[in-house]
């Protein structure tokens, strides 16, 4: 999604903006631009392409010299990536940058055209600049903003500067994140904290329908009626170090290596006296006993984490759990209501479909519980109950450590659920918790075998299509392993329940097609091995990821990664096993010459539908 940065202070604005946009690159983009006051004039430089192209253009055209301005990285929605469609957009008196989608831009554009406005771009965002100008007739910026916002439908985070006010930056939001950084004699606006973290850790979260004005006296906040409001000042838990690669070649590899630590932190945050304690979040055994059904709704990796939770909750707590893709859940008129628990899982806490599903579940009377990695996010603030997964900043687009802390949290919730409902006793609760507390070491052991994962990746590098297969939790793992591989190596892969292959997809198996078989679930391992033999007999190149004690006849697997899981309960096998799949995906991406941190077409947080 797009990145927004704004600055007012004594530093060189262009440098601050470009530095901030670089810290937001992980959000995904295809063009960039800045607008900076040079005296009384606003100088805008923007271009299709990455920030390197911006730097070259600034070199060629000269960097704007000033102390007040706004910047943007655009992830195209309306209009292809091009110089003219890049932000900032201006109509002369008003210049803006925008993240989100204006759903009624066409009717607004028609109205503004009738008022004599002309448009250079195909974007919805340019309409906002003209509408602000239209309401700027009284030359009152706040009035222009409040009147404009009342007419917009859709989602927006806006950075706005007015030519008549060279020492002011305005911002407003609805549905897209926007944060105000508060420094010493300088202030910032940004889509996310890393953009200004090197200058200050103090921030204010703008809520929907709120406006901020940065001026030499500081930051002032207003509601949609232009009334002044007070906002809580907060301090980020991260430091600049965490927002860097710390010697790793990519954020993704750094974040894979952080998993033992962040899973351990999450365990420490919830496990008290050897068992999970959720009372700190307001979740009591009585409350858990009261739920008749559980729904889990999320997108992508977060949804696949939900699938792991389904197996754990149903097997242990004997409560029915339905996992729904959030973009389906929000439009399927779900049969959800009072007495149901709806768990929404999200790393960013800003995913539009997941946020909308949360809001729908609340409307329907369900109790909502958010498992999120960004505690200041919209989902974190809107859910009835919020559990912060303590994963730290996850910058790589491909989610890795967030997945691990998500399933760690959900496992602990499943254990508590089962105990509260009398399905397991205190001993079993402590046994499972103790086993889970041993998984950071098992994840580390897999990381120690990165070279074997890299070797497996080397066998995939010239592949254009492959299968992942597994049963039960191994099927849930196959889905996430397939997504990881697809999204950063661009190898097409499909994940199938191993027992399903015979019902059609086996027709696709031919000589040398790789089939990655995941076999950690001991109660079905023979069945999985039989499925593996079926594809081997048809020429597949079988790569097996299994427990070290899995018995497989010679010649049935072309490659094996034996995981030393010891007596780890099958239920908890996903934590170390997923790390192997993440590493295989990472090295496949590298070997195919891709940038695993910034995969094509993808954004870190999908804040639009
Ligand atoms: C993960 O590797 C993907 N980049 C993507 O599927 C992601 O998990 C999904 O967009 C959900 O994001 P969220 O967890 O921030 O809601």
């Amino acid at each position: 999604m797009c990145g927004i940065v704004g600055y007012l202070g004594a530093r060189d604005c262009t440098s601050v903006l470009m530095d901030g946009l670089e810290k937001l690159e992980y959000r995904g983009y295809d063009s960039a631009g800045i607008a900076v006051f040079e005296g009384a004039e606003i100088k805008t430089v923007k271009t299709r392409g990455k920030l390197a192209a911006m730097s070259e253009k600034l070199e060629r055209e000269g960097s704007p010299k000033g102390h007040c301005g706004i910047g943007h990285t655009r992830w195209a929605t309306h209009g292809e990536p091009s110089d003219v469609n890049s932000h900032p957009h201006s109509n002369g008196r008003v210049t803006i940058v925008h993240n989100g989608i204006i759903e009624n831009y066409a009717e607004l554009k028609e109205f503004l055209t009738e008022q004599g406005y002309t448009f250079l771009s195909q974007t919805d965002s340019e309409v906002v600049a003209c509408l602000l100008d239209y309401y700027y007739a009284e030359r009152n910026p706040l009035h222009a903003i409040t009147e404009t916002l009342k007419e917009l439908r859709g989602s927006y985070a806006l950075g706005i500067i007015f030519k008549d006010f060279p020492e002011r930056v305005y911002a407003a939001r609805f549905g897209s994140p926007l944060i105000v950084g508060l420094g010493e004699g300088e202030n910032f606006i940004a889509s996310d904290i890393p953009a200004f973290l090197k200058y200050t850790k103090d921030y204010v979260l703008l809520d929907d329908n709120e406006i901020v004005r940065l001026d030499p006296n500081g930051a002032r906040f207003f509601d949609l009626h232009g009334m002044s409001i007070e906002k809580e000042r907060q301090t980020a838990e991260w430091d600049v170090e965490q927002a860097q690669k710390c010697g790793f070649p990519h954020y993704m590899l750094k974040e894979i290596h952080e998993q033992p630590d962040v899973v351990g932190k999450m365990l420490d945050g919830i496990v008290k006296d050897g068992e999970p304690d959720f009372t700190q979040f307001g979740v009591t055994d009585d409350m858990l006993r009261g739920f008749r059904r559980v729904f889990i709704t999320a997108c992508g990796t977060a949804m696949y984490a939900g699938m792991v939770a389904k197996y754990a909750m149903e097997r242990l707590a004997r409560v029915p759990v339905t996992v729904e893709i959030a973009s389906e859940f929000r439009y399927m008129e779900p049969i959800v209501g009072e007495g149901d628990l709806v768990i929404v899982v999200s790393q960013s806490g800003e995913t539009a479909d997941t946020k909308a599903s949360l809001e729908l579940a609340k409307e329907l009377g369900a109790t909502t519980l958010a498992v999120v990695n960004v505690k200041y996010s919209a989902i974190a603030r809107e859910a009835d109950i919020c559990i912060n997964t303590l994963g730290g900043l996850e910058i790589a687009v491909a989610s890795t450590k967030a997945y691990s802390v998500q399933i760690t949290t959900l496992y602990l919730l499943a254990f508590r659920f089962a105990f509260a409902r009398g399905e397991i006793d205190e001993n079993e609760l402590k046994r499972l918790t103790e086993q889970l507390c041993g998984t950071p070491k098992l994840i580390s052991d897999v990381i120690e075998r990165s070279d074997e994962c890299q070797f497996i990746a080397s066998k995939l590098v010239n592949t254009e299509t492959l299968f992942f297969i597994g049963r039960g939790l191994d099927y849930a793992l196959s889905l996430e392993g397939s997504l990881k591989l697809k999204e950063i190596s661009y190898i097409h892969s499909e994940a199938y329940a191993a027992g399903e292959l015979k019902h059609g997809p086996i027709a696709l198996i031919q000589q040398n097609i790789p089939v990655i078989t995941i076999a950690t679930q001991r109660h079905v391992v023979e069945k999985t091995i039989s499925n593996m033999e079926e594809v081997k007999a048809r020429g597949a190149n079988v790569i097996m990821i299994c427990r070290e004690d899995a018995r497989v006849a010679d010649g049935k697997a072309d490659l094996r990664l034996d995981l030393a899981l010891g007596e780890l309960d099958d239920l908890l096998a996903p934590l170390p096993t997923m790390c192997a799949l993440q590493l295989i995906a990472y090295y496949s991406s590298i070997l195919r010459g891709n940038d695993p941190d910034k995969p094509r077409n993808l954004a870190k947080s999908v804040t639009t539908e």
Side-chain angles (χ1 to χ4, degrees):
M1 291 298 97
C2 308
I4 286 176
V5 184
Y7 177 69
L8 175 63
R11 301 176 199 268
D12 173 62
C13 187
T14 296
S15 307
V16 173
L17 295 178
M18 289 297 286
D19 185 60
L21 292 177
E22 187 216 333
K23 298 296 184 294
L24 297 180
E25 278 194 297
Y26 70 89
R27 298 171 63 83
Y29 71 107
D30 43 53
S31 56
I34 64 172
V36 175
F37 274 102
E38 275 195 325
E41 293 304 314
I42 295 175
K43 180 167 183 182
T44 297
V45 179
K46 61 184 189 175
T47 182
R48 174 182 183 171
K50 299 296 187 185
L51 289 179
M54 255 306 278
S55 299
E56 285 163 18
K57 193 162 188 178
L58 287 167
E59 193 71 32
R60 269 196 323 275
E61 298 184 6
S63 288
K65 296 281 177 285
H67 305 289
C68 176
I70 51 180
H72 188 263
T73 47
R74 177 177 184 245
W75 190 79
T77 53
H78 296 69
E80 85 281 355
S82 66
D83 288 5
V84 74
N85 286 335
S86 309
H87 301 207
H89 289 288
S90 171
N91 81 318
R93 298 192 297 180
V94 183
T95 299
I96 68 126
V97 289
H98 168 229
N99 176 16
I101 288 185
I102 305 303
E103 293 174 353
N104 60 332
Y105 86 98
E107 61 190 84
L108 293 172
K109 190 167 186 173
E110 193 180 328
F111 166 74
L112 290 162
T113 303
E114 289 161 8
Q115 306 304 316
Y117 286 92
T118 57
F119 297 86
L120 300 176
S121 77
Q122 306 151 284
T123 67
D124 54 337
S125 307
E126 188 180 10
V127 171
V128 179
C130 294
L131 193 59
L132 282 162
D133 182 82
Y134 175 74
Y135 280 113
Y136 183 56
E138 299 162 22
R139 307 174 85 74
N140 174 337
L142 193 56
H143 173 75
I145 293 170
T146 55
E147 291 308 302
T148 296
L149 299 189
K150 289 171 188 167
E151 298 213 28
L152 299 183
R153 278 205 317 277
S155 63
Y156 53 81
L158 294 167
I160 310 164
I161 52 179
F162 292 82
K163 190 156 176 277
D164 299 332
F165 297 87
E167 290 197 320
R168 284 188 194 174
V169 175
Y170 288 85
R173 67 152 283 178
F174 186 86
S176 290
L178 204 80
I179 301 163
V180 181
L182 304 173
E184 291 298 321
E186 60 183 3
N187 290 305
F188 310 77
I189 61 166
S191 302
D192 202 353
I193 290 174
F196 54 72
L197 193 56
K198 71 187 276 191
Y199 307 106
T200 180
K201 293 173 75 168
D202 293 342
Y203 67 92
V204 166
L205 291 176
L206 215 52
D207 281 307
D208 283 350
N209 292 321
E210 292 181 346
I211 300 155
V212 63
R213 182 183 73 207
L214 308 185
D215 64 31
N217 299 315
R220 282 195 61 195
F221 300 89
F222 306 89
D223 65 18
L224 209 48
H225 307 294
M227 304 304 288
S228 191
I229 54 175
E230 290 305 312
K231 293 290 288 178
E232 181 196 358
R233 185 185 187 112
Q234 303 185 59
T235 302
E237 352 175 272
W238 307 313
D239 50 37
V240 176
E241 185 78 357
Q242 282 183 294
Q244 309 299 321
K245 291 180 194 166
C246 304
F248 284 93
H250 298 100
Y251 285 111
M252 183 177 177
L253 191 61
K254 173 190 170 201
E255 288 153 11
I256 289 172
H257 282 241
E258 285 176 343
Q259 291 183 118
D261 177 49
V262 296
V263 167
K265 272 176 72 178
M266 196 59 214
L267 290 163
D268 293 345
I270 294 182
V271 176
K272 306 275 184 283
D273 303 327
E275 56 186 68
D277 176 355
F278 286 91
T279 54
Q280 63 186 295
F281 307 107
V283 177
T284 63
D285 287 358
D286 276 347
M287 176 193 277
L288 292 174
R289 268 191 289 276
F291 294 123
R292 59 188 180 175
R293 294 182 304 174
V294 176
F295 290 81
I296 301 175
T297 184
C299 300
T301 291
M303 195 262 290
Y304 295 141
M307 286 196 68
V308 170
K310 170 186 170 65
Y311 284 100
M313 285 184 182
E314 289 194 337
R315 192 181 301 176
L316 293 174
R318 310 310 299 158
V319 63
V321 180
T322 305
V323 178
E324 294 290 359
I325 298 170
S327 53
E328 293 295 310
F329 182 85
R330 65 183 293 192
Y331 294 117
M332 66 195 293
E333 297 176 30
I335 304 167
V336 170
E338 204 155 333
D340 292 335
L341 172 65
V342 174
I343 300 172
V344 292
V345 185
S346 176
Q347 189 287 129
S348 64
E350 297 291 351
T351 301
D353 288 320
T354 310
K355 180 168 174 281
S357 296
L358 163 64
E359 289 158 359
L360 174 61
K362 287 181 77 171
E363 275 169 37
L364 294 172
T367 300
T368 56
L369 185 152
V371 175
V372 295
N373 196 44
V374 179
K375 72 173 182 137
Y376 53 81
S377 62
I379 289 173
R381 288 181 285 156
E382 287 182 30
D384 299 316
I385 302 158
C386 177
I387 300 175
N388 179 10
T389 51
L390 307 179
L393 213 45
E394 184 177 76
I395 290 177
V397 168
S399 199
T400 50
K401 63 175 181 174
Y403 172 89
S404 295
V405 291
Q406 284 162 5
I407 62 174
T408 300
T409 305
L410 292 164
Y411 274 134
L412 290 168
L413 189 60
F415 299 170
R416 196 73 218 182
F417 226 129
F419 176 72
R421 296 167 66 90
E423 295 294 336
I424 62 173
D425 64 17
E426 182 107 27
N427 290 337
E428 181 62 358
L429 178 64
K430 287 187 183 298
R431 184 191 73 82
L432 286 167
T433 305
E434 186 184 8
Q435 283 233 332
L436 187 59
C437 291
T439 55
K441 170 69 173 64
L442 297 175
I443 298 170
S444 295
D445 293 347
V446 172
I447 291 172
E448 290 303 312
R449 302 173 62 185
S450 292
D451 54 342
E452 295 172 69
C453 298
Q454 187 166 0
F455 179 71
I456 290 173
S458 70
K459 299 301 176 190
L460 306 176
V461 69
N462 298 315
T463 301
E464 286 317 310
T465 185
L466 62 85
F467 279 89
F468 283 79
I469 64 171
R471 287 172 178 260
L473 278 167
D474 288 335
Y475 170 50
L477 282 167
S478 299
L479 289 163
E480 171 55 15
S482 175
L483 173 61
K484 277 287 95 44
L485 184 75
K486 275 189 279 235
E487 65 177 330
I488 58 175
S489 73
Y490 313 150
I491 297 171
H492 175 259
S493 77
E494 285 198 56
Y496 255 92
E500 264 299 279
L501 276 179
K502 294 188 293 297
H503 301 283
I506 203 165
L508 292 174
I509 300 298
Q510 50 187 338
Q511 200 60 31
N512 294 332
I513 286 263
V515 176
I516 298 176
T517 304
I518 303 172
T520 68
Q521 302 298 299
R522 284 171 290 201
H523 65 296
V524 286
V525 68
E526 278 81 23
K527 306 289 182 196
T528 304
I529 289 170
S530 302
N531 298 137
M532 186 180 79
E533 290 174 350
E534 286 158 11
V535 296
K536 179 70 185 155
R538 289 163 176 80
N541 175 6
V542 172
I543 298 167
M544 198 175 177
I545 298 176
C546 54
R547 284 174 177 267
E548 58 190 356
D549 55 3
R551 285 193 305 280
V552 182
D554 289 348
K556 294 300 179 190
D558 298 283
L559 262 179
R560 272 182 68 147
L561 180 66
D562 291 342
L563 299 176
L565 303 183
E567 278 317 300
L568 182 70
D569 198 295
D570 282 1
L571 205 57
L572 306 179
L575 268 166
T577 308
M578 181 43 64
C579 186
L581 299 177
Q582 293 163 352
L583 288 165
I584 290 168
Y586 171 76
Y587 289 114
S588 299
S589 176
I590 301 294
L591 290 168
R592 286 169 68 100
N594 301 343
D595 177 347
D597 285 343
K598 289 174 251 168
R600 67 186 180 204
N601 307 336
L602 288 180
K604 181 58 182 171
S605 173
V606 184
T607 55
T608 57
E609 285 199 48

